[in-house]
Each structure stands twice: as C-alpha cells, then as structure tokens.
C-alpha cells in the first residue's frame, strides 16, 4: 500500500469514528420504557475496532514518515517544514495587509500614517516563500504516491 492510500484510509477511519461518536451520543439516553434506536454496546464494540485499526495505521504512517529518504531527509521533516512555512506565509500576508492599507486623511492637518516596512520588498519575500511552499507541497504529494507504507 502506498502512503497516499494509507492517508486516505486514515481520513475514512477518522470520519467513521466521528460518526460513531454522534451515533453513541444519540443513543446514550432514552425515556423509561423505550429502547435506543441503535444498540450502544454494538456501537461501542464497533468504535473499539475502528480505533484499533486507526491506531495501527497511524503508527505505520508515522514510521513511514520518519524513515530516511534517498536524500537523507524524512517526510516528517518535510511536513514540519511545510507547516511552518505555511504559517509564516499566513502571518506575513496578514502583516502585509496591515502595512499596505491606506489611511485616508480628511484634512491636510491630520497626522500622516506611514508603513513601517517596504511593502514591495515584503511582497517579493512572500511570493518567494509561497513558491517554495507550493514546490514543497508538490514534492510531499509525489512522495505520498511513491513511498510504500512500512
């Protein structure tokens, strides 16, 4: 099984667990003399099975991600780089929006407001980081479809 297939299966198992949670909550209580729509014991048993499968799969995914690649790095390191790069771009875009927002003055006597950074330089930096992020994400996606799950 390829890593990408395992990631899709993990998402499916997580959805099933969430659905089971809802179904369990919906059948937690009934009026006296009534029966629940579904058997809570059966749902609990199904939840145990799903969670055991999920735990085993997550373990295999994590082991695969931490295994060394041909270039000496790991998928885990690439994922950490992608997450931090993504957050950095997000923060810088917010800062750029604030720095480049125009402040209107009603009269010439009002105080002028100036940006504390060179907006064009910051935009170029964000553009470069965004390109790096896209390339890194494409590399991770490619690895997901070529790396075998351990």
């Amino acid at each position: 099984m390829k890593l990408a297939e395992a990631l899709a299966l993990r998402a499916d198992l997580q959805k099933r667990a969430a659905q089971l949670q809802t179904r369990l909550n919906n059948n937690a209580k009934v009026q006296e003399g009534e029966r629940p729509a579904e058997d809570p014991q059966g749902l609990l048993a199904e939840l145990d099975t799903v969670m055991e499968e999920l735990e085993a799969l997550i373990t295999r995914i994590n082991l695969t991600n931490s295994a060394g690649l041909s270039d000496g790095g790991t998928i885990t390191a690439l994922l950490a780089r992608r997450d931090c790069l993504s957050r950095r771009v997000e923060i810088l875009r917010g800062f750029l929006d604030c720095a480049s927002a125009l402040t209107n003055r009603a009269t010439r006597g009002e105080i002028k407001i100036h940006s504390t950074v060179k907006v064009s330089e910051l935009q170029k930096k964000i553009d470069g980081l965004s390109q790096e992020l896209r390339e890194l994400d494409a590399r991770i996606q490619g690895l997901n479809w070529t790396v075998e799950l351990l």
Side-chain angles (χ1 to χ4, degrees):
M1 174 186 317
K2 298 292 183 192
L3 180 56
E5 295 169 293
L7 294 171
L9 180 57
R10 179 186 67 184
D12 288 344
L13 289 170
Q14 289 170 331
K15 285 178 191 172
R16 278 182 57 200
Q19 291 168 346
L20 284 167
Q21 179 183 14
T22 300
R23 290 165 60 195
L24 278 163
N25 290 345
N26 290 342
N27 291 283
K29 293 181 181 181
V30 293
Q31 286 183 352
E32 186 176 343
E34 296 290 323
R35 292 181 174 256
E38 294 184 84
D39 175 33
Q41 294 306 318
L43 293 174
L44 288 168
E46 188 177 346
L47 179 65
D48 287 343
T49 301
V50 168
M51 296 310 293
E52 287 170 9
E53 288 178 38
L54 185 58
E55 182 180 345
L57 186 63
I58 290 172
T59 298
R60 292 178 66 196
I61 290 169
N62 289 345
L63 288 171
T64 302
N65 285 345
S66 63
L69 298 172
S70 60
D71 65 359
T74 64
I75 295 175
T76 298
L78 294 175
L79 292 171
R81 174 76 180 139
R82 181 188 66 184
D83 292 347
C84 290
L85 194 54
S86 176
R87 182 69 175 127
R88 185 176 182 192
V89 167
E90 179 185 330
I91 290 168
L92 289 175
R93 279 191 181 136
F95 178 61
L96 180 65
D97 287 346
C98 290
S100 61
L102 298 175
T103 304
N104 294 325
R105 297 186 307 160
T107 65
R108 287 182 171 248
E110 287 187 41
I111 298 172
K112 290 183 180 181
I113 306 296
H114 297 283
S115 178
T116 58
V117 295
K118 292 187 178 185
V119 172
S120 60
E121 289 178 13
L122 184 57
Q123 183 61 59
K124 285 180 185 177
K125 181 176 183 170
I126 291 171
D127 291 344
L129 291 171
S130 296
Q131 180 179 350
E132 182 182 346
L133 179 60
R134 285 189 303 276
E135 291 168 356
L136 180 59
D137 194 52
R139 180 172 180 216
I140 291 169
Q141 294 302 319
L143 286 170
N144 287 347
W145 285 105
T146 57
V147 172
E148 288 291 330
L149 188 66
L150 297 178

